[in-house]
């Protein structure tokens, strides 16, 4: 049994105090290590850089610790119990690491708990102590970690089956609000931290529908006996991370339904989509996972081609579940799908990187995007979602709506999870063939490893949905709906942000008007044809412009002023709108209704 303890002498310093008591350290020398990444967020984050004051004591005496590398240490052999102490600086307000101040505390075990190498399969207990400051007097504690000797929602002694379990239950502490509901017999809590207004009954009602949908989708019983949504509400922020019995979410204040608010606005719809996404992960990636994640090597990058399936299929079902459980209308769902199609279609990266390559390179590409990302890479979330749609619609078309991606997911759940088996590189393709009853190898290979356009128009036609394209209305236009206003026939080819100094170029489209003239990301446009323009004025000018018109653009690159002659190119119709047609209503219903 490894005994961990975590508290804080002074939350204002942002330090968590951690100690580890090891009864039987390795007599040949005890190694300790901290993860360098957290499952679900595929980037090396080097959590050890937040550790200070690492020390070890054996039989009351201090012992020297040898550092092996950035995240590994070794304590010389001792035949008595060993105690390790250190502090962790916690000031990352995200769902991936740890944060502590006078208002609340939050941590992922992967950021704060050293692994006792060689004893990771041992049961652990963790004493989570109320921080010493007076303002923490009324704090409560929320986690899906099993209680050992603690009151519900209170500090005290918790336990984990092993190290992997210990670090997969994030902990929130503070004065939060708790909403509870039961879905398919499983108790669920929503923990809301931060400053917000919320129609709590409505949130519980809507989330319950989503949870019941997902549990029903994979089949009862649910794989967890308790589930917790931990939501940190902030002014501006968005993100989520999945865990085996909980999820940590961050959302903006406007994402929650206000008391008295009826209908569903875009912010709340996105928030429900996020909740749906992370909850679907309870099956897809937390339990059905690539074989290379069994077990996770948290010291270094672990490469897989399959994130298009684990993130993409999850992204497909997150919104699809909303329409299937009646939270949004059919046309709302088609709008969301059209926005994803638009996102993929607008980036040249889709012609250069396949979904498999995007998955494989996530560590240095998707998670470390620069201003050229849209030209160079494709998102395995967005393209993966569209691949999932293609597979789903293909199976439906081949089987007269008798079979679908739903069957593939259920088979994945039964075949792989029941046997505690990881999904191999070709595993999903084989299952799709099985469900189709024919060889879809070429179709699947092109979707996953190809860079051509996806066959969505013809597949959507089989469920009575038409695909039309138009040019973008303005920078904010995400696609998905028709626009009444007049549309520009030219495209400036740059995404701009208005600032005091002028219009700062955030990114340019490869070979577009701006780049062809020599403009680049980082340049600040101060005048066009000798006149200073704001974003709105530029949009008006674009409406009047024709292809091949030439503009003289003055822009600063760093502190140097340059002049560029921009020849305006014809706008490309890459914004997508989907609409239900009068045909194939039965097939569309089978697809969108439960
Ligand atoms: Zn995800």
């Amino acid at each position: 049994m490894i005994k961990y303890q975590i508290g804080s002498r002074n939350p204002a310093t942002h330090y968590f105090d951690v100690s580890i008591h090891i009864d039987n350290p390795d007599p040949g020398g005890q190694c300790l290590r901290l993860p360098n990444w957290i499952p679900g967020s595929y980037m090396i984050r080097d959590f050890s850089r937040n550790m200070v004051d690492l020390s070890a004591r054996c039989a009351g005496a201090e012992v020297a610790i040898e550092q092996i590398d950035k995240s590994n240490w070794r304590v010389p052999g001792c035949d008595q119990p060993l105690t390790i102490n250190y502090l962790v600086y916690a000031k990352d307000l995200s769902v991936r690491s740890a944060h502590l101040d006078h208002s609340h505390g939050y941590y992922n075990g992967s950021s704060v708990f050293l692994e006792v190498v060689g004893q990771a399969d041992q049961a652990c207990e963790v004493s989570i102590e109320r921080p010493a400051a007076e303002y923490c007097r009324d704090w409560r504690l929320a986690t899906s970690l099993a209680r050992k000797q603690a009151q519900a929602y209170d500090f005290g002694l918790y336990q984990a089956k092993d190290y992997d379990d210990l670090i997969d239950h994030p902990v929130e502490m503070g004065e939060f609000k708790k909403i509870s509901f039961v879905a398919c017999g499983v108790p669920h809590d929503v923990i809301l931290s931060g400053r917000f207004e919320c129609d709590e009954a409505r949130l519980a009602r809507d989330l319950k529908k989503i949870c019941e949908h997902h549990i029903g989708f994979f089949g009862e019983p649910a794989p967890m006996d308790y589930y917790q949504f931990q939501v940190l509400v902030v002014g501006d922020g968005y993100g989520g991370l999945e865990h085996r019995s909980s999820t940590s979410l961050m959302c903006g204040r406007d994402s929650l339904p206000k008391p008295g608010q009826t209908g569903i606005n875009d912010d709340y719809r996105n928030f429900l989509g996020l909740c749906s996404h992370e909850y679907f992960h309870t099956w897809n990636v937390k339990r059905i996972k690539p074989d290379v994640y069994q077990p996770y090597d948290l010291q270094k990058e672990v490469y897989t081609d399959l994130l298009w399936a684990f993130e993409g299929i999850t992204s497909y079902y997150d919104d699809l579940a909303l329409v299937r459980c009646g939270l949004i209308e059919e046309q709302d769902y088609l709008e969301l799908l059209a926005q994803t199609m638009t996102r993929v279609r607008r980036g040249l990266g889709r012609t250069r990187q396949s979904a498999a390559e995007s998955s494989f390179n996530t560590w240095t590409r998707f998670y470390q995007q620069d201003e050229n990302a849209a030209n160079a890479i494709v998102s395995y979330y967005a393209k993966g979602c569209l691949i999932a749609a293609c597979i789903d619609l293909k199976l439906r078309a081949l089987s007269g709506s008798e079979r679908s991606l739903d069957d593939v997911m259920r088979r994945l759940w039964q075949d792989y999870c029941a046997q505690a088996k990881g999904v191999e590189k070709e595993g999903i393709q084989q299952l799709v063939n099985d469900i189709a009853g024919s060889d879809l190898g070429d179709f699947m290979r092109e979707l996953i490893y190809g860079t051509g356009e996806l066959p969505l128009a013809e597949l959507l036609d089989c469920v009575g949905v038409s695909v039309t394209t138009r040019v973008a209305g303005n920078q904010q236009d995400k696609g998905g709906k028709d626009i009444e206003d007049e549309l520009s026939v030219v495209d400036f080819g740059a995404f701009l942000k208005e600032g005091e100094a002028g219009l700062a170029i955030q990114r340019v489209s490869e070979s577009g008007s701006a780049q062809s003239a020599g403009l680049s990301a980082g340049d600040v446009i101060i005048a066009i044809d000798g006149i200073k323009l704001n974003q709105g004025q530029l949009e008006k000018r674009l409406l009047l412009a024709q292809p091949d018109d030439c503009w003289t653009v003055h822009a600063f690159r760093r502190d140097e002023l340059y002049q560029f002659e921009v020849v305006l190119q014809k706008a490309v119709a890459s914004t997508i709108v989907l609409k239900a047609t009068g045909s194939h209503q039965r097939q569309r219903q089978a697809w969108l209704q439960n």
Side-chain angles (χ1 to χ4, degrees):
M1 168 82 77
I2 314 288
K3 295 175 186 139
Y4 291 86
Q5 188 180 347
I6 183 164
S8 177
R9 273 165 283 178
N10 180 3
T13 62
H14 313 293
Y15 281 121
F16 279 115
D17 294 68
V18 185
S19 67
I20 310 172
H21 189 80
I22 308 161
D23 281 332
N24 298 301
D26 184 339
Q30 181 60 60
C31 292
L32 301 157
R33 63 183 181 186
L34 196 70
N36 290 319
W37 61 280
I38 180 169
S41 185
Y42 305 100
M43 185 174 138
I44 296 296
R45 295 185 190 275
D46 293 332
F47 298 121
S48 56
R49 63 201 176 85
N50 297 312
M51 283 174 60
V52 294
D53 292 351
L54 177 65
S55 67
R57 295 185 83 79
C58 182
E62 180 133 354
V63 285
I65 300 179
E66 181 194 355
Q67 184 163 12
I68 312 288
D69 63 23
K70 64 181 179 183
S71 53
N72 281 264
W73 293 265
R74 188 174 165 278
V75 184
C78 63
D79 52 9
Q80 300 278 317
L82 183 66
T83 303
I84 311 293
N85 288 291
Y86 52 97
L87 301 177
V88 176
Y89 185 67
K91 206 169 176 297
D92 176 12
L93 192 62
S94 82
V95 295
R96 302 177 293 253
S97 181
H99 188 258
L100 176 66
D101 67 9
H102 66 278
S103 69
H104 88 132
Y106 169 82
Y107 69 79
N108 283 286
S110 41
S111 282
V112 295
F113 295 135
L114 284 169
E115 177 190 336
V116 179
V117 178
Q119 302 193 36
D121 56 352
Q122 294 253 324
C124 329
E125 61 177 40
V126 52
S127 174
I128 310 176
E129 318 220 309
R130 182 183 301 279
E134 175 59 19
Y135 51 74
C136 304
R137 196 185 52 225
D138 295 326
W139 280 19
R140 292 191 293 167
L141 186 137
T143 180
S144 52
L145 199 60
R147 282 185 282 138
K148 185 164 185 177
Q149 229 175 353
Q151 299 295 314
Y153 315 106
D154 201 1
F155 294 85
L157 198 58
Y158 287 75
Q159 59 187 336
K161 289 194 286 289
D162 50 29
Y163 181 76
D164 188 43
D165 190 29
L166 176 73
I167 63 170
D168 202 15
H169 300 273
V171 170
E172 169 71 26
M173 52 185 85
E175 293 181 44
F176 48 75
K177 197 144 221 170
K178 177 174 75 70
I179 306 170
S180 303
F181 61 89
V182 175
C184 303
V186 180
H188 288 62
D189 286 329
V190 186
I191 304 297
L192 294 163
S193 307
R195 299 179 180 180
F196 57 87
E197 277 186 298
C198 179
D199 179 343
E200 293 160 25
R202 177 173 181 195
L203 182 59
R205 206 165 54 235
D206 291 349
L207 285 180
K208 179 181 161 86
K209 280 187 192 158
I210 294 169
C211 296
E212 286 178 343
H213 170 275
H214 290 354
I215 295 173
F217 180 91
F218 286 100
E220 292 191 54
M224 65 293 185
D225 50 22
Y226 170 74
Y227 192 87
Q228 191 171 88
F229 290 92
Q230 296 175 349
V231 188
L232 178 61
V233 188
V234 292
D236 189 23
Y238 181 82
L241 198 61
E242 65 277 9
H243 299 281
R244 66 185 66 183
S245 300
S246 60
T247 177
S248 292
L249 308 166
M250 212 159 110
C251 73
R253 231 153 257 143
D254 293 336
S255 299
L256 298 175
K258 303 274 177 303
Q261 176 186 320
T262 53
I264 187 163
N265 61 20
D266 286 2
D267 288 330
Y268 184 44
R269 186 177 70 181
N270 289 346
F271 177 70
L272 289 177
L274 178 66
C275 293
S276 174
H277 181 96
E278 304 305 342
Y279 196 76
F280 196 85
H281 273 318
T282 309
W283 291 263
N284 196 35
V285 98
K286 291 313 298 185
R287 288 172 176 84
I288 307 166
K289 55 176 83 171
D291 53 2
V292 291
Y293 290 175
Q294 286 190 325
Y296 289 111
D297 180 347
L298 298 177
Q299 290 295 302
K300 61 179 201 302
E301 296 89 341
V302 180
Y303 294 93
T304 172
D305 280 352
L306 291 176
L307 289 179
W308 71 266
F310 291 95
E311 288 302 344
I313 294 178
T314 302
S315 297
Y316 176 59
Y317 281 107
D318 59 21
D319 289 336
L320 188 56
L322 300 186
V323 65
R324 284 186 176 174
C325 57
L327 287 165
I328 62 173
E329 301 293 326
E330 200 174 280
Q331 189 52 44
D332 295 324
Y333 175 68
L334 295 179
E335 183 183 322
L336 291 169
L337 185 61
Q339 288 179 354
T340 306
M341 290 170 71
T342 301
R343 269 207 306 284
V344 173
R345 180 73 74 87
R346 280 182 185 166
L348 190 66
R350 78 188 190 288
T351 64
R352 292 191 159 136
Q353 194 188 46
S354 68
E357 287 169 327
S358 177
S359 303
F360 195 86
N361 291 294
T362 181
W363 304 90
T364 51
R365 309 300 298 271
F366 184 79
Y367 264 97
Q368 298 196 51
Q369 294 185 31
D370 61 16
E371 69 282 351
N372 196 45
N375 296 319
I377 68 167
V378 72
S379 158
Y380 54 80
Y381 282 82
K383 182 157 184 194
C385 167
L386 302 183
I387 291 174
C390 287
I391 298 171
D392 195 19
L393 296 172
K394 181 80 170 179
L395 290 172
R396 287 171 186 279
L398 288 174
S399 67
S401 298
E402 289 298 311
R403 287 184 294 277
S404 68
L405 184 62
D406 302 2
D407 299 299
V408 176
M409 296 313 293
R410 288 183 198 115
R411 275 283 299 279
L412 269 175
W413 176 234
Q414 288 152 9
D415 291 7
Y416 284 84
C417 270
Q419 301 168 36
K421 209 169 83 174
V423 181
E424 318 85 346
K425 193 176 157 107
E426 308 282 328
I428 293 171
Q429 292 164 77
Q430 283 160 9
L431 268 185
V432 169
N433 286 343
D434 268 17
I435 299 290
S438 58
D439 183 8
L440 294 185
D442 290 344
F443 172 77
M444 291 293 289
R445 263 189 300 280
E446 180 52 31
L447 297 182
I448 301 165
Y449 299 102
T451 53
E453 301 300 342
L454 295 170
L456 268 166
E458 62 211 64
L459 289 168
L460 283 163
D461 187 52
C462 303
V463 287
V465 173
S466 69
V467 181
T468 53
T469 54
R470 59 170 174 80
V471 302
N474 57 30
Q475 283 196 174
Q476 276 65 49
D477 180 7
K478 291 192 270 184
K481 27 183 168 195
D482 290 330
I483 287 193
E484 303 281 307
D485 306 339
E486 194 191 342
L487 295 170
S488 172
V489 293
V490 298
D491 182 8
F492 189 66
F495 192 92
L496 306 165
K497 190 173 175 197
E498 198 174 307
E500 296 242 321
L503 295 169
I505 300 182
Q506 306 291 295
R507 50 183 188 268
V508 292
S509 306
E510 189 170 314
S511 308
S513 312
Q515 195 193 55
S516 299
L519 283 158
S520 103
D523 293 350
V524 178
I525 296 171
I526 57 161
I528 293 177
D529 288 341
I531 306 288
K532 184 176 177 182
L533 296 181
N534 63 24
Q535 183 82 42
Q537 290 163 328
L538 175 68
E539 277 164 17
K540 279 192 192 133
R541 266 199 78 142
L542 282 168
L543 277 179
L544 300 172
Q546 292 298 316
D548 297 328
D549 281 3
C550 185
W551 289 357
T552 299
V553 173
H554 282 91
F556 275 107
R557 179 164 301 173
R558 301 179 299 277
D559 60 352
E560 299 163 14
L561 184 64
Y562 291 96
Q563 180 177 324
F564 302 89
E565 303 301 324
V566 177
V567 178
L568 292 170
Q569 298 177 6
K570 191 165 179 286
V572 178
S574 56
T575 300
I576 292 165
V577 179
L578 300 180
K579 278 189 195 144
T581 64
S583 69
H584 300 91
Q585 290 189 29
R586 187 184 63 80
Q587 288 86 345
R588 193 166 61 250
Q589 271 181 13
W591 174 42
L592 297 180
Q593 294 180 11
N594 235 349

